[in-house]
mmCIF file of all heavy atoms in Angstrom:
data_model
loop_
_atom_site.group_PDB
_atom_site.id
_atom_site.type_symbol
_atom_site.label_atom_id
_atom_site.label_comp_id
_atom_site.label_asym_id
_atom_site.label_seq_id
_atom_site.Cartn_x
_atom_site.Cartn_y
_atom_site.Cartn_z
ATOM 1 N N VAL A 1 -13.601 -2.026 -73.401
ATOM 2 C CA VAL A 1 -14.814 -2.830 -73.254
ATOM 3 C C VAL A 1 -15.834 -2.024 -72.478
ATOM 4 O O VAL A 1 -15.498 -1.146 -71.700
ATOM 5 C CB VAL A 1 -14.543 -4.173 -72.535
ATOM 6 C CG1 VAL A 1 -13.617 -5.064 -73.363
ATOM 7 C CG2 VAL A 1 -13.965 -3.945 -71.160
ATOM 8 N N GLY A 2 -17.094 -2.333 -72.695
ATOM 9 C CA GLY A 2 -18.186 -1.701 -71.969
ATOM 10 C C GLY A 2 -19.444 -2.477 -72.258
ATOM 11 O O GLY A 2 -20.083 -2.273 -73.291
ATOM 12 N N ALA A 3 -19.793 -3.402 -71.384
ATOM 13 C CA ALA A 3 -20.908 -4.321 -71.634
ATOM 14 C C ALA A 3 -22.199 -3.554 -71.938
ATOM 15 O O ALA A 3 -22.676 -2.768 -71.121
ATOM 16 C CB ALA A 3 -21.103 -5.243 -70.429
ATOM 17 N N GLY A 4 -22.735 -3.778 -73.124
ATOM 18 C CA GLY A 4 -23.987 -3.154 -73.530
ATOM 19 C C GLY A 4 -23.871 -1.725 -73.997
ATOM 20 O O GLY A 4 -24.884 -1.102 -74.313
ATOM 21 N N GLN A 5 -22.666 -1.188 -74.087
ATOM 22 C CA GLN A 5 -22.481 0.208 -74.487
ATOM 23 C C GLN A 5 -22.118 0.286 -75.967
ATOM 24 O O GLN A 5 -21.421 -0.565 -76.505
ATOM 25 C CB GLN A 5 -21.389 0.861 -73.651
ATOM 26 C CG GLN A 5 -21.691 0.894 -72.152
ATOM 27 C CD GLN A 5 -20.575 1.547 -71.361
ATOM 28 O OE1 GLN A 5 -19.800 2.334 -71.883
ATOM 29 N NE2 GLN A 5 -20.485 1.194 -70.083
ATOM 30 N N HIS A 6 -22.596 1.355 -76.615
ATOM 31 C CA HIS A 6 -22.252 1.670 -78.000
ATOM 32 C C HIS A 6 -22.728 0.599 -78.985
ATOM 33 O O HIS A 6 -22.134 0.426 -80.052
ATOM 34 C CB HIS A 6 -20.745 1.896 -78.149
ATOM 35 C CG HIS A 6 -20.172 2.848 -77.161
ATOM 36 N ND1 HIS A 6 -20.496 4.190 -77.141
ATOM 37 C CD2 HIS A 6 -19.319 2.659 -76.104
ATOM 38 C CE1 HIS A 6 -19.857 4.785 -76.141
ATOM 39 N NE2 HIS A 6 -19.151 3.884 -75.497
ATOM 40 N N VAL A 7 -23.777 -0.132 -78.641
ATOM 41 C CA VAL A 7 -24.347 -1.123 -79.561
ATOM 42 C C VAL A 7 -25.873 -0.926 -79.668
ATOM 43 O O VAL A 7 -26.612 -1.888 -79.867
ATOM 44 C CB VAL A 7 -24.009 -2.561 -79.126
ATOM 45 C CG1 VAL A 7 -22.561 -2.899 -79.423
ATOM 46 C CG2 VAL A 7 -24.334 -2.787 -77.652
ATOM 47 N N TRP A 8 -26.319 0.327 -79.543
ATOM 48 C CA TRP A 8 -27.748 0.593 -79.576
ATOM 49 C C TRP A 8 -28.342 0.287 -80.946
ATOM 50 O O TRP A 8 -29.500 -0.132 -81.044
ATOM 51 C CB TRP A 8 -28.021 2.046 -79.189
ATOM 52 C CG TRP A 8 -27.774 2.298 -77.740
ATOM 53 C CD1 TRP A 8 -26.760 3.015 -77.183
ATOM 54 C CD2 TRP A 8 -28.546 1.796 -76.641
ATOM 55 N NE1 TRP A 8 -26.844 3.002 -75.804
ATOM 56 C CE2 TRP A 8 -27.933 2.265 -75.447
ATOM 57 C CE3 TRP A 8 -29.690 1.015 -76.539
ATOM 58 C CZ2 TRP A 8 -28.436 1.954 -74.188
ATOM 59 C CZ3 TRP A 8 -30.180 0.706 -75.282
ATOM 60 C CH2 TRP A 8 -29.562 1.171 -74.120
ATOM 61 N N LEU A 9 -27.592 0.495 -82.002
ATOM 62 C CA LEU A 9 -28.101 0.174 -83.330
ATOM 63 C C LEU A 9 -28.363 -1.322 -83.452
ATOM 64 O O LEU A 9 -29.407 -1.747 -83.977
ATOM 65 C CB LEU A 9 -27.112 0.628 -84.404
ATOM 66 C CG LEU A 9 -27.500 0.284 -85.852
ATOM 67 C CD1 LEU A 9 -28.807 0.940 -86.227
ATOM 68 C CD2 LEU A 9 -26.398 0.702 -86.821
ATOM 69 N N GLU A 10 -27.436 -2.120 -82.945
ATOM 70 C CA GLU A 10 -27.612 -3.568 -83.004
ATOM 71 C C GLU A 10 -28.786 -4.019 -82.126
ATOM 72 O O GLU A 10 -29.539 -4.928 -82.501
ATOM 73 C CB GLU A 10 -26.327 -4.258 -82.569
ATOM 74 C CG GLU A 10 -25.189 -4.156 -83.576
ATOM 75 C CD GLU A 10 -24.489 -2.803 -83.572
ATOM 76 O OE1 GLU A 10 -24.817 -1.963 -82.697
ATOM 77 O OE2 GLU A 10 -23.629 -2.574 -84.418
ATOM 78 N N PHE A 11 -28.950 -3.384 -80.968
ATOM 79 C CA PHE A 11 -30.091 -3.720 -80.111
ATOM 80 C C PHE A 11 -31.404 -3.334 -80.791
ATOM 81 O O PHE A 11 -32.411 -4.060 -80.676
ATOM 82 C CB PHE A 11 -29.963 -3.015 -78.768
ATOM 83 C CG PHE A 11 -28.911 -3.598 -77.855
ATOM 84 C CD1 PHE A 11 -28.499 -2.931 -76.731
ATOM 85 C CD2 PHE A 11 -28.340 -4.825 -78.140
ATOM 86 C CE1 PHE A 11 -27.546 -3.470 -75.883
ATOM 87 C CE2 PHE A 11 -27.365 -5.377 -77.312
ATOM 88 C CZ PHE A 11 -26.979 -4.703 -76.187
ATOM 89 N N ALA A 12 -31.411 -2.193 -81.477
ATOM 90 C CA ALA A 12 -32.621 -1.785 -82.209
ATOM 91 C C ALA A 12 -32.925 -2.770 -83.321
ATOM 92 O O ALA A 12 -34.096 -3.116 -83.575
ATOM 93 C CB ALA A 12 -32.437 -0.380 -82.772
ATOM 94 N N LEU A 13 -31.877 -3.240 -84.020
ATOM 95 C CA LEU A 13 -32.064 -4.247 -85.058
ATOM 96 C C LEU A 13 -32.662 -5.524 -84.474
ATOM 97 O O LEU A 13 -33.589 -6.112 -85.045
ATOM 98 C CB LEU A 13 -30.724 -4.549 -85.723
ATOM 99 C CG LEU A 13 -30.713 -5.680 -86.748
ATOM 100 C CD1 LEU A 13 -31.585 -5.317 -87.937
ATOM 101 C CD2 LEU A 13 -29.285 -5.966 -87.205
ATOM 102 N N ALA A 14 -32.144 -5.948 -83.308
ATOM 103 C CA ALA A 14 -32.667 -7.152 -82.671
ATOM 104 C C ALA A 14 -34.124 -6.966 -82.275
ATOM 105 O O ALA A 14 -34.968 -7.857 -82.513
ATOM 106 C CB ALA A 14 -31.819 -7.488 -81.444
ATOM 107 N N GLY A 15 -34.450 -5.820 -81.688
ATOM 108 C CA GLY A 15 -35.825 -5.578 -81.278
ATOM 109 C C GLY A 15 -36.787 -5.529 -82.437
ATOM 110 O O GLY A 15 -37.951 -5.969 -82.321
ATOM 111 N N SER A 16 -36.356 -5.008 -83.568
ATOM 112 C CA SER A 16 -37.257 -4.906 -84.728
ATOM 113 C C SER A 16 -37.590 -6.272 -85.306
ATOM 114 O O SER A 16 -38.560 -6.406 -86.068
ATOM 115 C CB SER A 16 -36.616 -4.025 -85.802
ATOM 116 O OG SER A 16 -35.453 -4.645 -86.349
ATOM 117 N N ALA A 17 -36.809 -7.290 -84.949
ATOM 118 C CA ALA A 17 -37.092 -8.633 -85.474
ATOM 119 C C ALA A 17 -38.414 -9.178 -84.947
ATOM 120 O O ALA A 17 -39.068 -9.988 -85.619
ATOM 121 C CB ALA A 17 -35.954 -9.583 -85.116
ATOM 122 N N VAL A 18 -38.823 -8.753 -83.751
ATOM 123 C CA VAL A 18 -40.043 -9.308 -83.149
ATOM 124 C C VAL A 18 -41.286 -8.950 -83.965
ATOM 125 O O VAL A 18 -42.011 -9.846 -84.439
ATOM 126 C CB VAL A 18 -40.179 -8.851 -81.691
ATOM 127 C CG1 VAL A 18 -41.505 -9.320 -81.101
ATOM 128 C CG2 VAL A 18 -39.018 -9.388 -80.854
ATOM 129 N N PRO A 19 -41.627 -7.666 -84.162
ATOM 130 C CA PRO A 19 -42.846 -7.361 -84.916
ATOM 131 C C PRO A 19 -42.767 -7.827 -86.366
ATOM 132 O O PRO A 19 -43.785 -8.245 -86.951
ATOM 133 C CB PRO A 19 -42.960 -5.838 -84.816
ATOM 134 C CG PRO A 19 -41.594 -5.356 -84.530
ATOM 135 C CD PRO A 19 -40.955 -6.421 -83.703
ATOM 136 N N VAL A 20 -41.583 -7.763 -86.965
ATOM 137 C CA VAL A 20 -41.463 -8.164 -88.361
ATOM 138 C C VAL A 20 -41.713 -9.656 -88.526
ATOM 139 O O VAL A 20 -42.482 -10.095 -89.397
ATOM 140 C CB VAL A 20 -40.073 -7.773 -88.912
ATOM 141 C CG1 VAL A 20 -39.859 -8.362 -90.303
ATOM 142 C CG2 VAL A 20 -39.932 -6.263 -88.960
ATOM 143 N N LEU A 21 -41.085 -10.477 -87.683
ATOM 144 C CA LEU A 21 -41.280 -11.922 -87.772
ATOM 145 C C LEU A 21 -42.720 -12.312 -87.491
ATOM 146 O O LEU A 21 -43.298 -13.178 -88.166
ATOM 147 C CB LEU A 21 -40.343 -12.640 -86.781
ATOM 148 C CG LEU A 21 -38.957 -13.031 -87.299
ATOM 149 C CD1 LEU A 21 -38.168 -13.729 -86.198
ATOM 150 C CD2 LEU A 21 -39.054 -13.921 -88.516
ATOM 151 N N VAL A 22 -43.323 -11.706 -86.492
ATOM 152 C CA VAL A 22 -44.701 -12.035 -86.146
ATOM 153 C C VAL A 22 -45.631 -11.734 -87.314
ATOM 154 O O VAL A 22 -46.468 -12.571 -87.696
ATOM 155 C CB VAL A 22 -45.140 -11.267 -84.874
ATOM 156 C CG1 VAL A 22 -46.634 -11.394 -84.652
ATOM 157 C CG2 VAL A 22 -44.396 -11.787 -83.644
ATOM 158 N N CYS A 23 -45.503 -10.557 -87.896
ATOM 159 C CA CYS A 23 -46.393 -10.182 -88.995
ATOM 160 C C CYS A 23 -46.196 -11.092 -90.211
ATOM 161 O O CYS A 23 -47.167 -11.598 -90.785
ATOM 162 C CB CYS A 23 -46.149 -8.725 -89.392
ATOM 163 S SG CYS A 23 -46.673 -7.510 -88.167
ATOM 164 N N LEU A 24 -44.951 -11.322 -90.597
ATOM 165 C CA LEU A 24 -44.695 -12.115 -91.789
ATOM 166 C C LEU A 24 -45.092 -13.577 -91.601
ATOM 167 O O LEU A 24 -45.465 -14.251 -92.561
ATOM 168 C CB LEU A 24 -43.217 -12.006 -92.165
ATOM 169 C CG LEU A 24 -42.733 -10.611 -92.573
ATOM 170 C CD1 LEU A 24 -41.268 -10.645 -92.979
ATOM 171 C CD2 LEU A 24 -43.584 -10.045 -93.712
ATOM 172 N N ALA A 25 -44.997 -14.075 -90.360
ATOM 173 C CA ALA A 25 -45.329 -15.471 -90.134
ATOM 174 C C ALA A 25 -46.834 -15.718 -90.066
ATOM 175 O O ALA A 25 -47.298 -16.828 -90.358
ATOM 176 C CB ALA A 25 -44.670 -15.952 -88.843
ATOM 177 N N LEU A 26 -47.615 -14.729 -89.690
ATOM 178 C CA LEU A 26 -49.059 -14.922 -89.571
ATOM 179 C C LEU A 26 -49.804 -14.664 -90.873
ATOM 180 O O LEU A 26 -50.923 -15.177 -91.078
ATOM 181 C CB LEU A 26 -49.617 -14.015 -88.471
ATOM 182 C CG LEU A 26 -49.087 -14.258 -87.056
ATOM 183 C CD1 LEU A 26 -49.851 -13.387 -86.061
ATOM 184 C CD2 LEU A 26 -49.203 -15.718 -86.658
#
């Protein structure tokens, strides 16, 4: 186990949801 380690791809995926959702919703 390692809290927050080796999941950078998933964190990047989560972060990309913000600009994508904002643009598509407006």
Side-chain angles (χ1 to χ4, degrees):
V1 295
Q5 299 179 24
H6 310 294
V7 286
W8 289 109
L9 177 61
E10 288 77 6
F11 287 167
L13 174 64
S16 66
V18 175
V20 172
L21 270 180
V22 169
C23 291
L24 296 182
L26 298 186

